[in-house]
Amino acid sequence: MTSDLDGRTALVTGGAGGIGLACVRALAAAGAKVHVVDLDLARAEAAATEVGGWAHAADLSDPASIGGLPAEVDVLVNNAGVQHVAPIQDFPPERFTHIQSLMVTAPFLLMRHTLPSMYARGWGRIVNMSSVHGLRASAYKSAYVAAKHGLEGLSKVAALEGAEHGVTSNCVNPGYVRTPLVDGQIDAQAAEHDIPREDVVAEVLLKRAAIKKLIEPADVASLVVWLCSPHAGHVTGASIPLDGGWTAA
């Protein structure tokens, strides 16, 4: 890692584990001071202690939680998210609403909260952790796919509005990443189909990907850091697949 982000401050949601924690570590290694936001305060504190940052507990599905978070940041990484799998006719409406609140409304409110300070300084980076499901659909994931598609549109609007202020906004679109969330899906699919875990990875999760290998969180974080660096100043309004060739087919 370079020190491209020396003197910068970042805020990462869902920063206590998985992709979020990898982003916290990578941003800190690049020189940023990092605010770690997570529902789990103990894990957020552990992550913040590791990188010399700050921990904040927040339920981002509650709009009232946004106002208590720092507004004076240079980098915003909207990463927090959850998954629920069910056919549309069986999908709980309250669960659908919760996922939209967490994964679309919260990023909007966080942009609204932090953009004034970015505009005032004439520099900012917004990175929205989308998904291959922000570009493609899968059955039984109506809430997640709808939220990621909504996040894609929001990111592009932020890119257009922020350009004259030196602020970029982009989406990162990973395929299946080796995280506890995906590990849980592997276990569930293995039990449902009565097949080994390695067959779930190759034949179910990665069926549409050219590279039959789970993505590492650190690889996603490296792209996030690059998007936040001075070298990516002309990259905005983009959606960058990191999906092993899934969207190429």
Side-chain angles (χ1 to χ4, degrees), residues 79-232:
N79 169 74
V82 294
Q83 177 64 279
H84 186 85
V85 179
I88 290 173
Q89 68 271 20
D90 298 327
F91 210 103
E94 65 279 7
R95 189 65 171 156
F96 187 95
T97 300
H98 174 265
I99 289 174
Q100 307 315 305
S101 297
L102 176 62
M103 295 167 57
V104 184
T105 302
F108 160 73
L109 292 174
L110 282 162
M111 290 179 190
R112 190 173 184 273
H113 187 59
T114 59
L115 276 173
S117 65
M118 294 183 190
Y119 287 178
R121 290 190 295 275
W123 194 95
R125 297 286 187 266
I126 298 171
V127 181
N128 299 298
M129 195 57 62
S130 184
S131 164
V132 71
H133 284 113
L135 306 172
R136 298 287 190 272
S138 290
Y140 312 123
K141 297 181 179 180
S142 56
Y144 189 86
V145 171
K148 293 303 187 183
H149 275 68
L151 183 63
E152 293 280 331
L154 174 62
S155 181
K156 288 176 173 62
V157 172
L160 295 178
E161 294 184 4
E164 65 180 290
H165 303 285
V167 176
T168 66
S169 175
N170 294 287
C171 285
V172 174
N173 300 75
Y176 285 101
V177 181
R178 194 186 305 279
T179 64
L181 180 66
V182 169
D183 279 341
Q185 292 183 55
I186 294 170
D187 289 337
Q189 292 281 350
E192 180 179 342
H193 298 286
D194 192 25
I195 59 176
R197 281 175 52 92
E198 56 269 23
D199 290 349
V200 172
V201 174
E203 299 172 16
V204 180
L205 298 189
L206 302 181
K207 183 178 181 180
R208 289 183 282 183
I211 300 173
K212 306 299 184 184
K213 182 180 178 182
L214 292 175
I215 301 157
E216 298 301 327
D219 294 337
V220 182
S222 293
L223 177 55
V224 171
V225 171
W226 181 78
L227 285 171
C228 294
S229 74
H231 315 292

Side-chain angles (χ1 to χ4, degrees), residues 28-70:
K33 299 290 287 186
V34 186
H35 294 278
V36 183
V37 180
D38 202 275
L39 188 62
D40 187 328
L41 179 58
R43 293 177 67 210
E45 287 177 336
T49 298
E50 177 186 333
V51 301
W54 306 276
H56 308 269
D59 177 0
L60 296 176
S61 67
D62 178 4
S65 69
I66 305 296
L69 297 176

